[in-house]
Amino acid sequence: MSLYLNSKKIIKEWTDYNGHMNVAYYVLIFDLFGAEILMNKFKMGEESAKKTKKSTMVVESHITYNQEVKEGDEVDVNLLYFDHDKKRLQYKLEMIHKEKKFLASTIEILSLYVDLNQRKVSEFENEKTELMKEFIDKHKNIFNNTDLKFSSKLKKIK
């Protein structure tokens, strides 16, 4: 199972000479219409970067391209998994063809929480940790932790 985050229609500018969406735009869709939704939920998105000078930065990703999408297709971006430790976020997103329901792509992300003033990794504030804990508790029954690449990089929270 997964948690719906957003939908997006594939536009001509995102397609290439092969007649399908170019590789770069898969990442763009996952970032703008998936990850940014999550970061805003946890108060770590654009507003946080501007006001508190704290945000997240991706340090690793693993993407799969399962089936092509073309101009005019609409896709859903869903969350498959989410976890964190004191300084890191791990999440996996999927892109599903809205009409035909096939898996188009997945991406798994490992991000660090960063103090932008110092450009150094920082620990999450209690408020953000609580938001993430509540979110995980609410949705953990739908998370799928199979075939994750970065779980060993999270440190146990004591």
Side-chain angles (χ1 to χ4, degrees), residues 4-154:
Y4 171 81
L5 297 175
N6 212 333
S7 295
K8 197 67 189 163
K9 190 172 190 175
I10 309 308
I11 59 174
K12 181 174 179 42
E13 292 79 10
W14 295 348
T15 61
D16 61 20
Y17 51 81
N18 292 318
H20 60 215
M21 189 162 67
N22 181 274
V23 168
Y25 294 101
Y26 285 86
V27 176
L28 175 114
I29 287 173
F30 280 130
D31 190 44
L32 295 181
F33 305 105
E36 196 59 27
I37 302 291
L38 281 178
M39 295 312 103
N40 286 331
K41 269 187 198 306
F42 305 133
K43 298 185 179 183
M44 292 184 236
E46 183 178 0
E47 188 174 323
S48 172
K50 289 177 179 176
K51 287 184 178 175
T52 69
K53 298 297 183 202
K54 292 198 175 170
S55 188
T56 62
M57 292 185 181
V58 174
V59 291
E60 285 189 63
S61 65
H62 175 78
I63 192 164
T64 66
Y65 303 97
N66 302 77
Q67 195 166 333
E68 68 181 353
V69 292
K70 299 175 184 169
E71 179 185 352
D73 289 349
E74 192 169 358
V75 295
D76 289 336
V77 177
N78 302 317
L79 177 68
L80 290 171
Y81 182 81
F82 179 84
D83 201 359
H84 71 95
D85 65 14
K86 291 180 180 182
K87 301 176 182 181
R88 294 169 196 81
L89 301 171
Q90 175 192 15
Y91 53 93
K92 187 171 184 178
L93 304 170
E94 67 178 0
M95 185 182 299
I96 301 290
H97 190 284
K98 193 169 194 74
E99 180 187 341
K100 297 178 182 173
K101 306 296 184 204
F102 63 75
L103 177 65
S105 183
T106 65
I107 193 167
E108 183 181 352
I109 298 286
L110 184 67
S111 288
L112 297 174
Y113 190 56
V114 176
D115 180 329
L116 298 172
N117 288 318
Q118 301 176 37
R119 307 306 271 196
K120 286 183 72 175
V121 178
S122 181
E123 288 191 4
F124 298 115
E125 296 87 359
N126 289 338
E127 173 195 20
K128 291 176 174 75
T129 301
E130 281 303 310
L131 286 170
M132 290 185 289
K133 181 186 178 318
E134 289 171 14
F135 181 82
I136 290 169
D137 288 345
K138 182 177 178 181
H139 300 292
K140 65 184 170 190
N141 62 327
I142 64 168
F143 288 161
N144 180 345
N145 64 356
T146 57
D147 198 30
L148 295 174
K149 308 292 183 208
F150 305 132
S151 294
S152 64
K153 297 190 178 201
L154 293 184

